[in-house]
Amino acid sequence: MAKVTHEMTIMEVLKMDPGVAPIFMKHGLHCLGCPGATMESIHDAGLVHGIDVDILVNELNQYLETSA
């Protein structure tokens, strides 16, 4: 199974499994359909929104591991 990394875009992760949407929203990334979701990395989005990206990426990977 592929792992989520800091360099991936939000849209790349959403395409892996749309069920991750609530995790992004829980961390304050509500604009999942905006152009930034397709262009900027999770790392960059985290910097802009003041999010701990390590925690976000870990939660995303935990979700994907349990939903497989």
Side-chain angles (χ1 to χ4, degrees):
M1 159 158 291
K3 293 274 189 183
V4 176
T5 67
H6 291 233
E7 294 78 27
M8 296 174 81
T9 65
I10 293 170
M11 191 57 65
E12 287 175 316
V13 181
L14 285 168
K15 286 181 180 178
M16 291 169 68
D17 186 331
V20 299
I23 298 170
F24 281 113
M25 295 194 330
K26 172 182 143 186
H27 286 272
L29 296 172
H30 298 255
C31 191
L32 302 178
C34 72
T38 62
M39 297 184 311
E40 67 183 2
S41 68
I42 294 171
H43 175 80
D44 291 342
L47 290 176
V48 169
H49 293 280
I51 296 165
D52 186 326
V53 178
D54 289 329
I55 293 173
L56 172 59
V57 168
N58 286 336
E59 284 187 33
L60 291 166
N61 281 319
Q62 286 175 356
Y63 172 84
L64 291 171
E65 286 172 15
T66 60
S67 69

